[in-house]
Amino acid sequence: MLINQGVHAKIISERLGHGDITTTMNIHGHAPRSADQAAADILEQLFAPRKEKHDKKTLG
């Protein structure tokens, strides 16, 4: 749950008493499909070409 809320893996690892964040991520790092889709959407927004205001078409 903490991973899905954006808490850094190092913090979670310390809270759980794991000696290494690799352990934490191997046990708890499975991302739900929705989180994977959200990441893909963010990347698409970051790398999509920005449209200029004059490119928008108006109805009328």
Side-chain angles (χ1 to χ4, degrees):
M1 289 187 288
L2 293 174
I3 293 169
N4 291 334
Q5 294 300 313
V7 177
H8 193 279
K10 179 66 175 164
I11 302 301
I12 298 168
S13 178
E14 290 172 359
R15 289 269 176 184
L16 294 174
H18 296 158
D20 190 321
I21 66 171
T22 304
T23 303
T24 307
M25 296 311 291
N26 284 339
I27 296 170
H28 304 286
H30 52 279
R33 187 166 177 80
S34 61
D36 183 51
Q37 183 61 52
D41 293 344
I42 290 169
L43 282 172
E44 183 177 351
Q45 290 173 8
L46 290 172
F47 291 103
R50 295 179 185 222
K51 293 187 178 190
E52 298 294 328
K53 288 183 181 179
H54 65 273
D55 286 346
K56 292 181 180 180
K57 294 183 180 182
T58 58
L59 299 176

